[in-house]
Amino acid sequence: MTITGQGISMRAVVTGGAGFIGSHLCTRLLRDGNSVLCIDNFLTGQEANITPLRANAQFSFLNHDVSEPISVEGPVDLIFHLASAASPIHYQKYPIQTLKVGSLGTHHALGLAKSKKSAFFLASTSEVYGDPLVNPQPESYWGNVNPVGPRGVYDEAKRFAEAMTMAYHRVHGVNTHIARIFNTFGPRMQEEDGRVVPAFITQALTNKPLTVFGDGSQTRSFCYVDDLVEGILRLVKSDAHDPVNLGVPSEMTVLQIAQKIIQLTGSKSVIEYRTLPVDDPKVRRPDITRARQLLGWEPTHPLDDSLRATIAYFKSRLSR
Ligand code: NAD
Ligand code: UDP
C-alpha cells in the first residue's frame, strides 16, 4: 500500500470529502494513483468541490451523514475522518450536528477502521487548546477551553474525538493518527462561512469594509491548504499516534492580515471594527517541533503567493 503514487494504490475513505480541505485531499489522493470513496452530507460542503473528481473512475461518492452508522463494501486501507462543520459561524449554526459528528461520527468512522483493519486519520484542531494561556502551543499543552461557551460544541467534540481515537488505538490496536490543524485557507472555502481569510477577501474584492473583530490584535497563523495536505499524508505514513500540530509556526494579528489582503487585492475597502466574539482566542500559534522531527514537515508556500491564489479563486467565483 502506498499513498505517494509509487505504483501500488490504496483505497481511501474520506469523510467530509466535499468540504474545503477534504476535496483538496481527495484530489491529491487521486492524483497519486489511489482510489477514493468520499462520504459527505453537504452540511457545509459544496457539490462544486467534487464535480471535477466525478469524471475519475477511481472516485466514488456516498451522500451520507456519518453520525449514522457507516457501511462500506469491500476493502479499505485508510480512513480520513474530516467530517465536521469547521467555521465558527457554521458550528454555532449547527451545534448539535457538530457535537454528534465529533462523537458519534468519530465512533462510527473508528468502528469502520477496526472492522476493515484500516488505518485511521482524525482531523482535530488547534481549538482543543481553547483560548490558550501558553504561546506557542506544543502538543503537551492541555488547553483552556470553556465547555459551555458558544465554541464549546466544536472544541469539546474534537477533544472527545481525540480521546475516542486514542482509546481505539490503545484498546483495539487501530493504527490511528491525529493532526491538530491550525487555521488553514485556500481555494474552495466558502465566502459565507465567515472565516477570516474568505471573509476579508470577499469584502476587499467587493470594496466593502473589512470587518475586524475587537481591536484586531488577536493573532492567528495561516497555512496554505497544499502544505496541510502534504503534512496529513506524511502523518499517515508515520508511526506517530499522539497528536501532531500542523500549521504555520509564525503568527500575525488579524489587523495585519486585513491590511495585507487590502494591499494584495488593490482594494479601496476601509477597516470597520466590530465586537469581538465571546471566547475568541487572543493568541494562536503552533509549536511544530514534533511535525518537523517526526514527519520532516514544515509549510513551504509563501503567504503572499498563497493569498494571491486564493484571491484569484474568489475573483472567479464573484465574476460568475
Ligand atoms: P468544511 O466545512 O469545508 O468541510 C467539512 C465537511 O464535512 C463538509 O463537506 C460537510 O458537509 C461535511 N460534514 C459535516 N458533517 C457531516 C456529517 N455528519 N456527515 C458527513 N459529512 C459531514 O471545513 P474544512 O475547513 O474543510 O474542515 C475539514 C476538517 O478539518 C474538519 O474536521 C475541521 O474541524 C478540521 N479543521 C479545519 C481547519 C481549517 O482551518 N480549515 C482547522 C482545524 C481543523
Ligand atoms: N475575524 C475577524 N473578522 C471576520 C472574521 C473573523 O476579525 O470577519 C477574526 C476572528 O474574531 C478571529 C480570527 O479572525 O480572531 C480568525 O477567525 P476565524 O473565524 O477564521 O477562525 P478561528 O481562528 O476563530 O477559529
Side-chain angles (χ1 to χ4, degrees):
M1 176 180 94
T2 183
I3 53 157
T4 57
Q6 288 161 2
I8 317 158
S9 66
M10 66 152 186
R11 182 168 187 235
V13 167
V14 180
T15 78
F20 157 53
I21 296 172
S23 63
H24 283 275
L25 180 62
C26 290
T27 304
R28 170 75 189 268
L29 288 166
L30 291 167
R31 199 185 80 199
D32 289 349
N34 303 293
S35 90
V36 174
L37 169 62
C38 167
I39 306 180
D40 204 297
N41 67 350
F42 293 119
L43 182 73
T44 59
Q46 313 181 80
E47 167 63 37
N49 287 346
I50 55 166
T51 303
L53 307 181
R54 286 189 183 266
N56 188 323
Q58 296 306 310
F59 179 80
S60 52
F61 178 74
L62 178 65
N63 189 333
H64 179 69
D65 177 349
V66 298
S67 297
E68 302 296 329
I70 310 168
S71 167
V72 173
E73 298 278 315
V76 175
D77 300 301
L78 222 165
I79 296 165
F80 294 90
H81 181 45
L82 281 78
S84 171
S87 88
I89 285 186
H90 278 155
Y91 62 70
Q92 289 171 42
K93 183 174 173 194
Y94 303 114
I96 295 171
Q97 290 94 327
T98 302
L99 282 159
K100 284 176 76 175
V101 77
S103 53
L104 303 175
T106 303
H107 189 204
H108 294 140
L110 281 162
L112 184 65
K114 180 177 160 236
S115 75
K116 299 286 182 185
K117 298 188 177 13
S118 61
F120 178 86
F121 166 83
L122 173 69
S124 186
T125 169
S126 53
E127 278 280 327
V128 300
Y129 302 121
D131 188 4
L133 305 176
V134 169
N135 196 38
Q137 295 84 53
E139 292 86 349
S140 55
Y141 179 51
W142 291 351
N144 178 39
V145 170
N146 175 1
V148 294
R151 301 173 83 102
V153 294
Y154 181 66
D155 303 10
E156 295 297 1
K158 291 289 186 179
R159 288 168 71 97
F160 177 93
E162 287 196 6
M164 185 62 110
T165 301
M166 291 309 296
Y168 264 66
H169 174 64
R170 293 187 182 116
V171 177
H172 296 305
V174 176
N175 177 18
T176 60
H177 309 278
I178 300 172
R180 290 184 179 154
I181 301 169
F182 284 64
N183 296 61
T184 299
F185 72 96
R188 302 187 198 157
M189 295 183 96
Q190 296 180 56
E191 48 268 46
E192 63 273 16
D193 89 5
R195 283 182 278 190
V196 67
V197 171
F200 285 176
I201 290 179
T202 310
Q203 290 162 345
L205 289 175
T206 52
N207 288 314
K208 292 192 179 129
L210 269 64
T211 51
V212 168
F213 298 160
D215 63 5
S217 63
Q218 68 273 32
T219 66
R220 296 291 186 272
S221 67
F222 297 100
C223 183
Y224 192 55
V225 65
D226 289 357
D227 277 326
L228 176 74
V229 167
E230 176 64 28
I232 291 173
L233 295 179
R234 287 188 190 210
L235 177 58
V236 299
K237 278 189 282 175
S238 78
D239 294 328
H241 302 297
D242 289 330
V244 177
N245 288 339
L246 294 178
V248 165
S250 59
E251 67 199 312
M252 59 196 296
T253 66
V254 165
L255 189 57
Q256 284 170 330
I257 190 83
Q259 286 160 341
K260 185 170 272 302
I261 288 172
I262 288 176
Q263 177 220 324
L264 291 176
T265 51
S267 172
K268 297 188 184 60
S269 293
V270 295
I271 285 172
E272 209 170 82
Y273 292 91
R274 300 270 175 89
T275 310
L276 188 69
V278 174
D279 292 339
D280 198 292
K282 287 177 271 308
V283 291
R284 180 183 291 156
R285 171 156 73 104
D287 178 334
I288 62 162
T289 308
R290 193 177 282 182
R292 281 194 177 111
Q293 286 175 349
L294 298 182
L295 317 180
W297 176 88
E298 61 185 310
T300 59
H301 288 76
L303 178 64
D304 285 18
D305 294 352
S306 308
L307 284 172
R308 280 193 198 96
T310 311
I311 290 166
Y313 170 80
F314 280 103
K315 245 186 205 164
S316 74
R317 273 177 74 104
L318 290 170
S319 65
R320 262 189 250 143

